[in-house]
Structure formats: C-alpha cells, structure tokens
C-alpha cells in the first residue's frame, strides 16, 4: 500500500450494492450502484468525519422542514438542485439532440424551475399577460416556431410563458400585489407558426436569503442572483418540447447565474419598438403602451430526432 493511502475495506461499497434484491429493476440497480460508488468514494476521498456527516443530515432535515412549513409552496430541495447545477445538467442530458447539420440545432433547453403552473390561462394572439400594476417596461414579443429539419413554420404549437414581475416576484409569492396568473399565459401559433403578445422586459432577482440553499451559497462565497429571464414551454404533439428561459443581453448576472442555466442562444435583445405591428392594438393594460420589442424564433426538433430517452426506474 502506497505511503499515506488509507486501507479502507475495498469490498464494502460493492457489498452495499449487492444487497439489492432480485426484484430490483435493472435501471434502479444501475442508478443505485453508481450513486453508492460516487457517494462512498466522496466520503473516503475527504475522510468525512462523523460531525460533518451529522451536519449534512441536519442540513437535509432542514430542507424538508421548509417544504412542510410552507405547505409545499417552497421547494428547497429543488433550489439546492439548481444552485449545484444538477437540474441544468439533467436538462442538458434529457434534451440532447443529434443533428446532421451543425448549423441547425433546436432552441436550447434550460431548467424548468419551481414556478411553472399548469393553470395558466389560454390567451388570444396579441393579448397581454400583464394584469396588474408594475414598474417594468412593456414589451411586444413575437416570433415564429419552426421545424428544425424543414425550417417550415409549425401551426397550432403551444407557447406557454411565465415571468416574475418588476419586483422580482411571481404571482403566488406576491399577494395582494399580483392576482392569480398575472404574467402567465398560453398561446397557440397561427397558420404561419407565429405567436405575438405583450409582456414585461424581465427583471433580475435574488433567490431567498434564508434556509439551507442560502447557507450553502454563503459557505461557497456565491451570490444568490438570477439574471432577468422569461420562462418558456413550447410544445406540439409531433415535436420534442422545449422548456427554456431567455435573458436580456445586457444583464450583469449572465456569466454567474446562480443556477447555471444561461446558454448563448438564449441571450436576446430587447430593442426600442418603432411601430405598433399590423394586427396588434396598442397595449392598454397596466404600464401603458409597449416601448420595447423582442423578436424570438423557436426551433423544435421532430420527436424522431430525440437522441435520449432514459428508461424508467
């Protein structure tokens, strides 16, 4: 044994894995085995002490306690997955698509995050998602959803979007300042594959500065800021869905996004609007007329192009 190397039981980890019973699914055994090897090797590599192990146990207990005390409204474990980059990594793995032409690729995926709602209302093309007063910038947002292989528009695609208000809070976090489904909406593309709507130019915000996720960020000397962003979920029965986020190109937190979700093709430009587009009435809701415009096209890959479909546990 080389000098300084610990003589830990070399068979222990495999013994733990081998205790899986005969009814364990192959995928479950693969996942459990890989997890135990990584976890045990981590403990051996750093000589994890009993005090450090117990501190970790207490840390995760506090994570679950926040979920319970918030009655499920604050998913602290989800947030920990985000700030350690795990959700962004899983998103990359799940959405990998191989293309024949490197110049064409689907719109990049980004993390779903904890704030999506299945109850967002259907809105008509041209309608605003802005329901309540704000101090933000009203934006005309539009674009075409296209087929990655043919470059043709995709009619009847669902364009689902949500965003925080100008105070950095989502609707259900912000009673009584925001009504249900403020800054949320689902749209169907028209025969030309186009969507069009009014929204806000997004605002950067901080993750909560309390609880286990904040403790970890402090221990790592990291900031809690998310760059300004708009969430998108674009779906169609014949295409692989895209769940993503878009970011203003001048946001100061792009390089150090605390959840590692920024990708180059998701950085966009909100330009001064020149004219109210044909077929769009001037925005009459909170905040007055739009002063910015965002043109964003989305590329969807046909389902047959998906290169990854993980087996069930």
């Amino acid at each position: 044994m080389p000098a300084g190397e610990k003589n830990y039981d070399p068979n222990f980890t495999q013994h733990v894995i081998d205790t899986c019973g005969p009814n364990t699914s192959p995928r479950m055994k693969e996942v459990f085995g890989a997890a135990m090897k990584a976890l045990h090797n981590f403990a051996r590599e750093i000589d994890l002490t009993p005090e450090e192990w117990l501190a970790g146990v207490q840390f995760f207990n506090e994570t679950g306690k926040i979920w319970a005390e918030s009655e499920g409204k604050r998913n602290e474990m989800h947030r920990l997955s985000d700030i350690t980059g795990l959700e962004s990594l899983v998103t990359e793995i799940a959405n990998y698509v191989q293309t024949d032409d490197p110049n064409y690729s689907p719109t990049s995926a980004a993390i779903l995050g904890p704030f999506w709602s299945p109850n967002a209302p259907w809105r008509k093309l041209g309608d605003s998602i802005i329901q309540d007063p704000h101090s933000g910038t009203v934006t005309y947002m539009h674009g075409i959803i296209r087929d990655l292989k043919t470059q043709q528009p995709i009619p009847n695609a669902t364009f689902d979007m949500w965003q925080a208000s100008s105070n950095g809070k989502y609707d259900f976090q912000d009673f009584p300042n925001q009504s249900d489904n403020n800054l949320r909406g689902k749209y169907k593309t028209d025969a030309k594959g186009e969507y069009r709507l009014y929204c806000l130019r997004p605002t950067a915000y901080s993750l909560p500065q309390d609880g286990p996720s904040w403790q970890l960020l402090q221990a790592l000397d990291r900031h809690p800021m998310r760059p300004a962003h708009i969430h998108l979920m674009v779906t169609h029965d014949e295409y692989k869905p895209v769940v993503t986020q878009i970011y203003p190109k001048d946001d100061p937190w792009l390089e150090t996004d605390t959840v590692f979700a920024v990708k180059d093709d998701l950085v966009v430009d909100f330009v001064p609007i020149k004219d109210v587009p044909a077929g769009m009435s001037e925005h009459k809701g909170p905040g007055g007329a739009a002063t910015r415009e965002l043109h964003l096209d989305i590329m969807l890959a046909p389902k047959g192009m998906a290169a990854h479909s993980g087996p069930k546990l």
Side-chain angles (χ1 to χ4, degrees):
M1 181 176 65
E5 184 173 319
K6 307 293 194 306
N7 189 25
Y8 296 130
D9 182 355
N11 301 314
F12 177 73
T13 298
Q14 190 59 48
H15 174 64
V16 172
I17 296 169
D18 290 343
T19 58
C20 292
N23 293 324
T24 307
S25 72
R27 176 61 173 173
M28 183 63 201
K29 191 165 185 179
E30 179 184 18
V31 170
F32 180 74
M36 291 307 98
K37 289 175 183 177
L39 183 63
H40 289 195
N41 286 340
F42 148 74
R44 294 186 186 100
E45 180 182 347
I46 65 168
D47 293 323
L48 188 69
T49 69
E51 294 78 16
E52 290 167 336
W53 163 77
L54 184 56
V57 171
Q58 293 171 337
F59 181 84
F60 286 110
N61 283 344
E62 286 299 312
T63 299
K65 185 178 178 182
I66 285 181
W67 169 266
E69 291 179 346
S70 70
E71 297 180 342
K73 293 181 180 179
R74 178 169 165 181
N75 192 334
E76 192 73 358
M77 192 65 216
H78 194 153
R79 207 176 298 282
L80 286 171
S81 292
D82 287 348
I83 67 175
T84 57
L86 181 58
E87 187 180 4
S88 285
L89 178 57
V90 170
T91 298
E92 179 185 18
I93 294 168
N95 291 278
Y96 176 75
V97 174
Q98 178 121 17
T99 59
D100 296 330
D101 187 341
N103 294 316
Y104 291 105
S105 59
T107 299
S108 292
I111 65 173
L112 174 65
F115 299 121
W116 176 75
S117 170
N119 302 316
W122 287 100
R123 302 186 191 270
K124 295 180 181 179
L125 287 178
D127 282 356
S128 176
I129 63 172
I130 307 168
Q131 299 174 179
D132 302 318
H134 60 87
S135 59
T137 302
V138 178
T139 298
Y140 167 57
M141 181 175 177
H142 64 105
I144 296 175
I145 300 175
R146 298 183 184 276
D147 183 304
L148 172 64
K149 293 185 71 174
T150 68
Q151 305 298 301
Q152 293 301 305
I154 305 174
N156 205 39
T158 297
F159 187 86
D160 184 357
M161 65 178 295
W162 62 104
Q163 64 178 142
S165 190
S166 53
N167 62 1
K169 295 182 179 180
Y170 293 84
D171 54 353
F172 65 86
Q173 299 174 311
D174 200 23
F175 179 82
N177 298 314
Q178 296 187 56
S179 56
D180 287 345
N181 292 316
N182 182 46
L183 298 171
R184 298 180 184 272
K186 295 195 289 273
Y187 299 83
K188 286 289 188 181
T189 56
D190 63 16
K192 298 179 180 180
E194 185 179 3
Y195 70 90
R196 50 191 178 274
L197 55 97
Y198 290 108
C199 63
L200 292 181
R201 189 185 192 282
T203 301
Y205 62 81
S206 170
L207 299 186
Q209 295 185 24
D210 67 338
S213 59
W214 175 236
Q215 292 171 12
L216 180 59
L217 288 172
Q218 287 182 302
L220 299 175
D221 191 26
R222 281 173 47 190
H223 68 73
M225 296 301 297
R226 288 237 56 215
H229 59 279
I230 296 174
H231 291 269
L232 305 176
M233 182 184 293
V234 186
T235 57
H236 187 284
D237 288 345
E238 298 176 10
Y239 294 86
K240 186 172 177 62
V242 167
V243 178
T244 195
Q245 303 174 20
I246 54 173
Y247 310 88
K249 70 175 186 179
D250 58 350
D251 191 283
W253 306 106
L254 293 176
E255 294 295 327
T256 57
D257 175 19
T258 196
V259 303
F260 310 102
V262 178
K263 297 180 176 68
D264 289 345
D265 69 313
L266 303 180
V267 177
V268 298
D269 195 7
F270 291 76
V271 301
I273 192 169
K274 294 181 179 179
D275 299 298
V276 175
M280 292 284 290
S281 61
E282 186 174 311
H283 184 264
K284 299 295 185 182
T291 58
R292 289 290 185 273
E293 179 179 357
L294 172 61
H295 180 192
L296 177 73
D297 292 340
I298 301 291
M299 202 77 73
L300 298 184
K303 283 187 174 178
M305 292 185 67
H308 176 84
S309 180
K312 295 181 179 180
L313 296 179

Short mmCIF file of all heavy atoms in Angstrom, two decimals, residues 106-141:
data_model
loop_
_atom_site.label_atom_id
_atom_site.label_comp_id
_atom_site.label_asym_id
_atom_site.label_seq_id
_atom_site.Cartn_x
_atom_site.Cartn_y
_atom_site.Cartn_z
N PRO A 106 -31.91 22.64 -32.33
CA PRO A 106 -33.12 23.13 -31.68
C PRO A 106 -32.79 24.21 -30.66
O PRO A 106 -31.65 24.31 -30.18
CB PRO A 106 -33.68 21.88 -31.00
CG PRO A 106 -32.50 21.00 -30.79
CD PRO A 106 -31.59 21.26 -31.96
N THR A 107 -33.76 25.04 -30.35
CA THR A 107 -33.58 26.03 -29.30
C THR A 107 -33.14 25.33 -28.02
O THR A 107 -33.70 24.30 -27.64
CB THR A 107 -34.90 26.79 -29.06
OG1 THR A 107 -35.25 27.46 -30.27
CG2 THR A 107 -34.75 27.79 -27.94
N SER A 108 -32.12 25.85 -27.38
CA SER A 108 -31.56 25.21 -26.19
C SER A 108 -32.59 25.12 -25.07
O SER A 108 -33.42 26.03 -24.88
CB SER A 108 -30.34 25.98 -25.69
OG SER A 108 -29.28 25.89 -26.59
N ALA A 109 -32.50 24.05 -24.32
CA ALA A 109 -33.33 23.89 -23.13
C ALA A 109 -32.66 24.53 -21.93
O ALA A 109 -31.44 24.68 -21.89
CB ALA A 109 -33.60 22.40 -22.86
N ALA A 110 -33.45 24.92 -20.96
CA ALA A 110 -32.96 25.41 -19.67
C ALA A 110 -33.89 24.87 -18.60
O ALA A 110 -34.95 24.32 -18.89
CB ALA A 110 -32.90 26.94 -19.64
N ILE A 111 -33.52 25.05 -17.36
CA ILE A 111 -34.27 24.43 -16.27
C ILE A 111 -35.71 24.93 -16.20
O ILE A 111 -36.00 26.09 -16.50
CB ILE A 111 -33.57 24.65 -14.92
CG1 ILE A 111 -33.56 26.15 -14.55
CG2 ILE A 111 -32.15 24.10 -14.96
CD1 ILE A 111 -33.04 26.42 -13.16
N LEU A 112 -36.59 24.05 -15.78
CA LEU A 112 -37.99 24.43 -15.56
C LEU A 112 -38.13 25.36 -14.37
O LEU A 112 -38.88 26.33 -14.41
CB LEU A 112 -38.85 23.17 -15.34
CG LEU A 112 -40.31 23.40 -14.96
CD1 LEU A 112 -41.06 24.07 -16.12
CD2 LEU A 112 -40.98 22.08 -14.59
N GLY A 113 -37.37 25.09 -13.31
CA GLY A 113 -37.52 25.89 -12.09
C GLY A 113 -38.79 25.51 -11.34
O GLY A 113 -39.61 24.73 -11.82
N PRO A 114 -38.99 26.10 -10.18
CA PRO A 114 -40.12 25.69 -9.32
C PRO A 114 -41.40 26.48 -9.52
O PRO A 114 -42.35 26.28 -8.78
CB PRO A 114 -39.56 25.95 -7.91
CG PRO A 114 -38.65 27.12 -8.09
CD PRO A 114 -38.04 26.97 -9.46
N PHE A 115 -41.48 27.38 -10.53
CA PHE A 115 -42.60 28.31 -10.58
C PHE A 115 -43.57 28.10 -11.74
O PHE A 115 -44.46 28.90 -11.95
CB PHE A 115 -42.08 29.75 -10.61
CG PHE A 115 -41.27 30.12 -9.40
CD1 PHE A 115 -39.95 30.53 -9.52
CD2 PHE A 115 -41.82 30.04 -8.14
CE1 PHE A 115 -39.20 30.87 -8.40
CE2 PHE A 115 -41.08 30.36 -7.02
CZ PHE A 115 -39.77 30.78 -7.14
N TRP A 116 -43.40 27.05 -12.53
CA TRP A 116 -44.37 26.77 -13.59
C TRP A 116 -45.72 26.42 -12.98
O TRP A 116 -45.79 25.80 -11.91
CB TRP A 116 -43.89 25.62 -14.46
CG TRP A 116 -44.91 25.22 -15.51
CD1 TRP A 116 -45.21 25.90 -16.66
CD2 TRP A 116 -45.77 24.08 -15.48
NE1 TRP A 116 -46.20 25.24 -17.35
CE2 TRP A 116 -46.56 24.11 -16.65
CE3 TRP A 116 -45.95 23.02 -14.59
CZ2 TRP A 116 -47.51 23.15 -16.97
CZ3 TRP A 116 -46.90 22.05 -14.89
CH2 TRP A 116 -47.66 22.12 -16.06
N SER A 117 -46.79 26.79 -13.64
CA SER A 117 -48.14 26.46 -13.19
C SER A 117 -48.92 25.81 -14.32
O SER A 117 -48.89 26.31 -15.46
CB SER A 117 -48.88 27.71 -12.72
OG SER A 117 -50.26 27.42 -12.50
N PRO A 118 -49.63 24.71 -14.03
CA PRO A 118 -50.47 24.11 -15.07
C PRO A 118 -51.75 24.89 -15.32
O PRO A 118 -52.52 24.55 -16.22
CB PRO A 118 -50.78 22.72 -14.49
CG PRO A 118 -50.76 22.94 -13.01
CD PRO A 118 -49.67 23.96 -12.77
N ASN A 119 -51.99 25.92 -14.52
CA ASN A 119 -53.27 26.64 -14.58
C ASN A 119 -53.19 27.96 -15.34
O ASN A 119 -54.12 28.77 -15.26
CB ASN A 119 -53.76 26.91 -13.16
CG ASN A 119 -53.93 25.64 -12.36
OD1 ASN A 119 -54.47 24.65 -12.86
ND2 ASN A 119 -53.44 25.63 -11.12
N ALA A 120 -52.10 28.21 -16.05
CA ALA A 120 -52.00 29.45 -16.82
C ALA A 120 -53.15 29.52 -17.83
O ALA A 120 -53.49 28.52 -18.47
CB ALA A 120 -50.67 29.51 -17.54
N PRO A 121 -53.74 30.70 -18.00
CA PRO A 121 -54.91 30.80 -18.89
C PRO A 121 -54.51 30.82 -20.36
O PRO A 121 -53.43 31.29 -20.73
CB PRO A 121 -55.51 32.15 -18.49
CG PRO A 121 -54.35 32.95 -18.00
CD PRO A 121 -53.44 31.96 -17.33
N TRP A 122 -55.42 30.31 -21.20
CA TRP A 122 -55.25 30.47 -22.64
C TRP A 122 -55.59 31.91 -23.00
O TRP A 122 -56.59 32.47 -22.54
CB TRP A 122 -56.17 29.53 -23.41
CG TRP A 122 -55.72 28.10 -23.35
CD1 TRP A 122 -56.20 27.11 -22.54
CD2 TRP A 122 -54.68 27.52 -24.14
NE1 TRP A 122 -55.52 25.94 -22.76
CE2 TRP A 122 -54.59 26.15 -23.75
CE3 TRP A 122 -53.83 28.00 -25.12
CZ2 TRP A 122 -53.67 25.28 -24.32
CZ3 TRP A 122 -52.92 27.13 -25.70
CH2 TRP A 122 -52.84 25.78 -25.30
N ARG A 123 -54.75 32.53 -23.78
CA ARG A 123 -54.98 33.90 -24.21
C ARG A 123 -54.96 33.95 -25.74
O ARG A 123 -54.33 33.13 -26.41
CB ARG A 123 -53.91 34.83 -23.63
CG ARG A 123 -53.83 34.82 -22.09
CD ARG A 123 -52.87 35.86 -21.58
NE ARG A 123 -52.56 35.74 -20.16
CZ ARG A 123 -53.23 36.33 -19.18
NH1 ARG A 123 -54.29 37.07 -19.46
NH2 ARG A 123 -52.85 36.18 -17.92
N LYS A 124 -55.64 34.95 -26.29
CA LYS A 124 -55.67 35.12 -27.74
C LYS A 124 -54.37 35.75 -28.22
O LYS A 124 -53.75 36.53 -27.52
CB LYS A 124 -56.85 36.02 -28.13
CG LYS A 124 -58.22 35.41 -27.83
CD LYS A 124 -59.33 36.36 -28.25
CE LYS A 124 -60.69 35.78 -27.93
NZ LYS A 124 -61.79 36.71 -28.31
N LEU A 125 -53.98 35.41 -29.44
CA LEU A 125 -52.80 36.04 -30.03
C LEU A 125 -52.97 37.55 -29.99
O LEU A 125 -54.02 38.09 -30.37
CB LEU A 125 -52.60 35.57 -31.47
CG LEU A 125 -52.10 34.13 -31.66
CD1 LEU A 125 -52.00 33.80 -33.14
CD2 LEU A 125 -50.76 33.93 -30.98
N GLY A 126 -51.94 38.23 -29.56
CA GLY A 126 -51.98 39.67 -29.42
C GLY A 126 -52.36 40.16 -28.04
O GLY A 126 -52.17 41.33 -27.72
N ASP A 127 -52.88 39.26 -27.19
CA ASP A 127 -53.26 39.65 -25.83
C ASP A 127 -52.03 39.81 -24.95
O ASP A 127 -50.97 39.24 -25.21
CB ASP A 127 -54.20 38.61 -25.20
CG ASP A 127 -55.63 38.73 -25.69
OD1 ASP A 127 -55.90 39.68 -26.47
OD2 ASP A 127 -56.46 37.89 -25.31
N SER A 128 -52.21 40.53 -23.86
CA SER A 128 -51.15 40.77 -22.89
C SER A 128 -51.24 39.78 -21.74
O SER A 128 -52.33 39.34 -21.37
CB SER A 128 -51.26 42.19 -22.34
OG SER A 128 -50.29 42.43 -21.34
N ILE A 129 -50.09 39.43 -21.17
CA ILE A 129 -50.10 38.64 -19.94
C ILE A 129 -50.04 39.54 -18.71
O ILE A 129 -50.06 39.06 -17.58
CB ILE A 129 -48.93 37.62 -19.90
CG1 ILE A 129 -47.58 38.33 -19.90
CG2 ILE A 129 -49.04 36.63 -21.04
CD1 ILE A 129 -46.40 37.39 -19.66
N ILE A 130 -49.99 40.86 -18.93
CA ILE A 130 -49.87 41.81 -17.82
C ILE A 130 -51.26 42.14 -17.29
O ILE A 130 -52.08 42.73 -17.99
CB ILE A 130 -49.17 43.10 -18.29
CG1 ILE A 130 -47.83 42.78 -18.96
CG2 ILE A 130 -48.96 44.04 -17.11
CD1 ILE A 130 -47.21 43.96 -19.69
N GLN A 131 -51.53 41.77 -16.06
CA GLN A 131 -52.82 42.03 -15.44
C GLN A 131 -52.76 43.12 -14.37
O GLN A 131 -53.77 43.78 -14.13
CB GLN A 131 -53.35 40.74 -14.79
CG GLN A 131 -53.59 39.60 -15.75
CD GLN A 131 -53.98 38.29 -15.07
OE1 GLN A 131 -54.23 37.29 -15.75
NE2 GLN A 131 -54.03 38.27 -13.76
N ASP A 132 -51.61 43.29 -13.72
CA ASP A 132 -51.54 44.12 -12.52
C ASP A 132 -50.51 45.24 -12.67
O ASP A 132 -49.60 45.16 -13.49
CB ASP A 132 -51.17 43.23 -11.32
CG ASP A 132 -52.18 42.11 -11.11
OD1 ASP A 132 -53.38 42.37 -11.24
OD2 ASP A 132 -51.74 40.98 -10.82
N PRO A 133 -50.62 46.28 -11.82
CA PRO A 133 -49.65 47.38 -11.86
C PRO A 133 -48.22 46.89 -11.63
O PRO A 133 -47.98 45.91 -10.93
CB PRO A 133 -50.13 48.30 -10.73
CG PRO A 133 -51.58 48.00 -10.59
CD PRO A 133 -51.72 46.54 -10.86
N HIS A 134 -47.27 47.61 -12.21
CA HIS A 134 -45.86 47.22 -12.14
C HIS A 134 -45.03 48.46 -12.41
O HIS A 134 -45.54 49.52 -12.77
CB HIS A 134 -45.55 46.15 -13.19
CG HIS A 134 -45.84 46.62 -14.59
ND1 HIS A 134 -44.92 47.29 -15.35
CD2 HIS A 134 -46.97 46.55 -15.35
CE1 HIS A 134 -45.45 47.61 -16.52
NE2 HIS A 134 -46.70 47.18 -16.55
N SER A 135 -43.72 48.32 -12.27
CA SER A 135 -42.81 49.42 -12.61
C SER A 135 -41.86 49.00 -13.72
O SER A 135 -40.77 49.56 -13.87
CB SER A 135 -42.01 49.86 -11.37
OG SER A 135 -41.27 48.77 -10.84
N GLY A 136 -42.26 48.00 -14.51
CA GLY A 136 -41.41 47.48 -15.56
C GLY A 136 -41.64 48.14 -16.90
O GLY A 136 -42.31 49.17 -17.01
N THR A 137 -41.09 47.50 -17.94
CA THR A 137 -41.15 48.02 -19.31
C THR A 137 -42.00 47.09 -20.17
O THR A 137 -41.66 45.92 -20.34
CB THR A 137 -39.74 48.12 -19.91
OG1 THR A 137 -38.94 48.98 -19.09
CG2 THR A 137 -39.78 48.66 -21.32
N VAL A 138 -43.10 47.60 -20.69
CA VAL A 138 -43.99 46.79 -21.52
C VAL A 138 -43.29 46.48 -22.84
O VAL A 138 -42.69 47.36 -23.48
CB VAL A 138 -45.33 47.51 -21.77
CG1 VAL A 138 -46.22 46.68 -22.69
CG2 VAL A 138 -46.04 47.78 -20.44
N THR A 139 -43.37 45.21 -23.26
CA THR A 139 -42.64 44.72 -24.43
C THR A 139 -43.57 43.98 -25.37
O THR A 139 -44.40 43.17 -24.93
CB THR A 139 -41.51 43.78 -23.98
OG1 THR A 139 -40.57 44.51 -23.17
CG2 THR A 139 -40.78 43.18 -25.17
N TYR A 140 -43.44 44.26 -26.64
CA TYR A 140 -44.12 43.48 -27.67
C TYR A 140 -43.19 42.32 -28.04
O TYR A 140 -42.07 42.52 -28.51
CB TYR A 140 -44.42 44.34 -28.90
CG TYR A 140 -44.82 43.55 -30.12
CD1 TYR A 140 -45.91 42.68 -30.08
CD2 TYR A 140 -44.11 43.67 -31.32
CE1 TYR A 140 -46.27 41.95 -31.21
CE2 TYR A 140 -44.47 42.96 -32.45
CZ TYR A 140 -45.56 42.10 -32.39
OH TYR A 140 -45.92 41.38 -33.50
N MET A 141 -43.65 41.09 -27.82
CA MET A 141 -42.85 39.90 -28.07
C MET A 141 -43.53 39.07 -29.15
O MET A 141 -44.74 38.85 -29.12
CB MET A 141 -42.72 39.08 -26.78
CG MET A 141 -41.89 37.82 -26.91
SD MET A 141 -41.69 37.01 -25.28
CE MET A 141 -40.79 35.54 -25.74
#
